[in-house]
Amino acid sequence: MKNKFLFILIFFAIISCSKRVTEKIADADTYSILSEKDRATLKDELLEDRFTNLLPKLMDKSGIDMWLLISREYNEDPVLKTMLPATWLNARRRTIIVFYRNKEKNTLERLAIARYDIGNSIKSAWNKELEPNQWKALAEIIKARNPDKIGINFSNHFALADGLVKTDYDELRENLSVELSSKLVSAENLAIAWIETRTAKEMALFKQLVKITHDIIDEAFSEKVIIPGKTTTDDIVWFLRQKVTDLGLETWFHPTIDVQRNNVILKSEKESFSKDKEQQTILKGDLLHCDFGISYIGLHTDCQQHAYVLKDDEHKVPEFLADAFQKGNRLQDILTRTMKLGKTGNEILAASLQQAKNEELLPSIYTHPLGTYGHSAGTTIGMWDSQEGVPFNGEYPLQKNTVYAIELNTTVVVKEWNQSIRIMLEEAGFFGDGFFEYVNGRQMAIKPIKIN
């Protein structure tokens, strides 16, 4: 009898598990999320396109005709990590990549001074049996090509362009002749350009990824998830984390959910941005805010949106909150219309803040590059605690074919609540060749949550 009962329990457990798996697969299909194998194929296609059609242009622009990237397993240069094929989750042993650009012949050699080919895009050029010393093999390849400038990844101010560790730098210098060593230069601008520049094929994927991000937020900010008086802000945070995991994706930072409500004084920016969010139980009449981003096939999103939990006698978001939200949209417009090719982040920041203040807004702008990394390389347009400009990173000029998290807030006095509220928005935006557009639109009104 016990065995029969155990069999029944196992049977229903299997049925239940199968149902959950089926639901997850169906969910992934709804969002058009690729299988692991298809993701790998797409990732390698995107990478090959970048090597073939983008990298030669970037090297020509930088004036660097040879670029060296050197890493050891589990201590990868952030740039080299973006060049690994889908089947390489990490570098192997010591991995050295050489890109040699011959502009006159319009060729780009992609060589791996390593025991292995790096996928199909970079072929091994080291015969260890003929030359056991990897550094000497590298030196011979460099000498044979005699480049004018040898770019290596070091940078005082851009972390993602500072991936060459001291040990490898010392080894490199020891194995190069004095003449070749004199050609070593920082590849800072080339490294930043590689990380920040998006191709047309990548933007098609980016658009899908931002849509998935928006859809997940819509579900989190709905009656499916929220029960006023019971659901907490932490419940929604963990719903977001679980949803992303169930879809086979990843979050690149822990999400946050916070609440603004009547009779609760707005926290200072310092307290709001530098301290962990306290768990709160969600109530009707609450203005909700999320900060959420996901990762997929080497790209990242970063999004902040608002929702409002309708009271029993309300059928839409109150006008005073809707009007406050429009001020947030207006600040977005001011910023994005100020973004011009070649302007520095600090110039864009100063002009945008001045225009916003002229319109009697209370602005704060802290927009950052977005793409291969969440907080990526490129110009920084303010930081929440650096509204007078950002040293060094804010002095980098805006480039075309780049993506930014248009992140900002405006404080609005709400007399109906006898206090101020903060409209905090963040959306992925693409700066193209003389134009700006949101990657997949932006929030234009507070989401109403109707509880039956």
Side-chain angles (χ1 to χ4, degrees):
M1 185 68 179
K2 288 182 179 179
N3 289 340
K4 182 177 181 181
F5 180 68
L6 181 60
F7 172 78
I8 292 172
L9 285 177
I10 293 173
F11 174 77
F12 280 107
I14 293 172
I15 294 297
S16 176
C17 182
S18 298
K19 184 174 183 294
R20 287 197 300 272
V21 171
T22 302
E23 287 171 349
K24 289 179 184 179
I25 292 172
D27 217 3
D29 289 342
T30 299
Y31 290 103
S32 300
I33 295 171
L34 299 175
S35 67
E36 286 288 346
K37 183 177 180 181
D38 288 341
R39 290 186 215 186
T41 299
L42 178 56
K43 180 178 180 179
D44 289 347
E45 288 176 357
L46 294 174
L47 188 56
E48 178 60 28
D49 177 54
R50 288 175 64 83
F51 284 143
T52 301
N53 300 311
L54 176 62
L55 185 54
K57 298 175 184 177
L58 298 182
M59 293 186 71
D60 291 347
K61 183 178 179 181
S62 71
I64 290 173
D65 54 338
M66 179 173 283
W67 192 14
L68 304 185
L69 296 101
I70 307 170
S71 288
R72 280 173 288 170
E73 198 166 4
Y74 308 128
N75 191 29
E76 290 83 7
D77 177 324
V79 178
L80 183 143
K81 198 169 181 67
T82 69
M83 296 176 170
L84 299 179
T87 54
W88 281 47
L89 304 184
N90 300 95
R92 297 179 182 174
R93 302 184 185 180
R94 177 178 271 106
T95 295
I96 302 176
I97 300 175
V98 177
F99 295 108
Y100 176 61
R101 170 67 171 159
N102 188 317
K103 192 174 180 180
E104 291 182 1
K105 296 180 179 180
N106 194 26
T107 58
L108 177 66
E109 287 186 274
R110 309 176 221 161
L111 308 172
I113 316 306
R115 290 290 280 173
Y116 314 97
D117 290 343
I118 302 177
N120 294 320
S121 294
I122 304 173
K123 298 300 182 182
S124 174
W126 179 31
N127 187 330
K128 189 174 182 181
E129 285 64 43
L130 293 179
E131 175 49 77
N133 188 304
Q134 188 177 15
W135 293 106
K136 288 184 178 179
L138 171 63
E140 286 301 315
I141 283 176
I142 296 173
K143 182 180 178 181
R145 286 152 182 81
N146 192 29
D148 294 325
K149 289 185 179 180
I150 306 170
I152 53 177
N153 289 348
F154 68 89
S155 170
N156 288 332
H157 306 294
F158 290 86
L160 294 175
D162 192 38
L164 181 63
V165 301
K166 185 177 185 303
T167 302
D168 289 335
Y169 174 73
D170 290 344
E171 289 277 10
L172 176 64
R173 289 293 301 268
E174 287 177 13
N175 285 277
L176 291 183
S177 66
V178 174
E179 180 185 1
L180 290 177
S181 290
S182 68
K183 297 181 178 183
L184 293 173
V185 298
S186 170
E188 179 183 88
N189 286 344
L190 176 55
I192 293 171
W194 170 264
I195 289 175
E196 74 172 342
T197 308
R198 302 274 69 82
T199 64
K201 291 183 178 181
E202 286 177 312
M203 289 312 301
L205 173 62
F206 218 147
K207 185 178 182 67
Q208 179 196 0
L209 182 56
V210 176
K211 182 181 186 306
I212 293 170
T213 306
H214 288 167
D215 289 347
I216 293 173
I217 293 173
D218 285 345
E219 185 175 356
F221 279 164
S222 75
E223 67 280 2
K224 295 178 182 179
V225 175
I226 295 174
I227 302 174
K230 180 178 179 181
T231 305
T232 67
T233 49
D234 274 8
D235 290 335
I236 303 177
V237 166
W238 288 108
F239 168 83
L240 291 168
R241 290 291 301 269
Q242 191 62 53
K243 183 72 176 182
V244 172
T245 298
D246 289 347
L247 290 171
L249 304 176
E250 294 180 350
T251 49
W252 70 269
F253 66 93
H254 189 61
T256 59
I257 301 291
D258 54 83
V259 175
Q260 298 178 82
R261 60 170 61 125
N262 193 7
N263 297 320
V264 178
I265 300 300
L266 180 67
K267 294 179 180 179
S268 68
E269 273 201 328
K270 181 178 180 180
E271 184 176 0
S272 178
F273 284 88
S274 63
K275 295 184 181 296
D276 291 338
K277 307 295 184 185
E278 296 179 1
Q279 180 176 216
Q280 292 180 278
T281 300
I282 293 169
L283 305 174
K284 293 180 180 179
D286 281 348
L287 177 63
L288 307 181
H289 164 263
C290 72
D291 191 353
F292 172 61
I294 60 179
S295 306
Y296 181 51
I297 315 183
L299 295 175
H300 301 73
T301 65
D302 201 351
C303 187
Q304 295 182 49
Q305 295 194 347
H306 285 279
Y308 176 78
V309 186
L310 297 176
K311 297 178 182 179
D312 291 336
D313 60 345
E314 292 177 325
H315 301 287
K316 63 178 184 177
V317 175
E319 288 296 330
F320 64 89
L321 291 180
D323 291 344
F325 188 87
Q326 292 307 307
K327 295 180 185 296
N329 280 157
R330 176 56 190 154
L331 182 57
Q332 288 176 320
D333 291 341
I334 291 171
L335 170 60
T336 58
R337 291 171 187 173
T338 307
M339 295 171 70
K340 303 295 182 184
L341 182 66
K343 275 192 173 184
T344 68
N346 289 340
E347 290 172 336
I348 296 167
L349 174 69
S352 298
L353 290 177
Q354 186 59 57
Q355 176 64 32
K357 291 173 183 177
N358 290 346
E359 297 185 22
E360 299 184 341
L361 298 176
L362 299 174
S364 181
I365 295 172
Y366 32 96
T367 286
H368 60 86
L370 181 69
T372 307
Y373 290 93
H375 291 154
S376 200
T379 193
T380 299
I381 308 174
M383 300 180 77
W384 70 264
D385 55 352
S386 298
Q387 291 295 285
E388 287 73 39
V390 180
F392 306 110
N393 299 62
E395 294 163 10
Y396 184 83
L398 179 68
Q399 304 294 327
K400 66 180 180 180
N401 299 325
T402 51
V403 174
Y404 299 85
I406 304 300
E407 185 177 9
L408 45 74
N409 78 63
T410 184
T411 301
V412 182
V413 177
V414 176
K415 63 180 181 180
E416 289 81 358
W417 282 3
N418 194 32
Q419 65 186 58
S420 295
I421 65 170
R422 188 175 292 124
I423 300 298
M424 297 168 280
L425 299 174
E426 187 171 17
E427 295 285 1
F430 175 72
F431 184 78
D433 193 358
F435 69 93
F436 172 89
E437 64 182 10
Y438 287 98
V439 175
N440 188 58
R442 59 170 167 162
Q443 186 180 17
M444 297 294 290
I446 297 171
K447 305 173 192 294
I449 305 173
K450 177 65 176 177
I451 307 299
N452 296 324

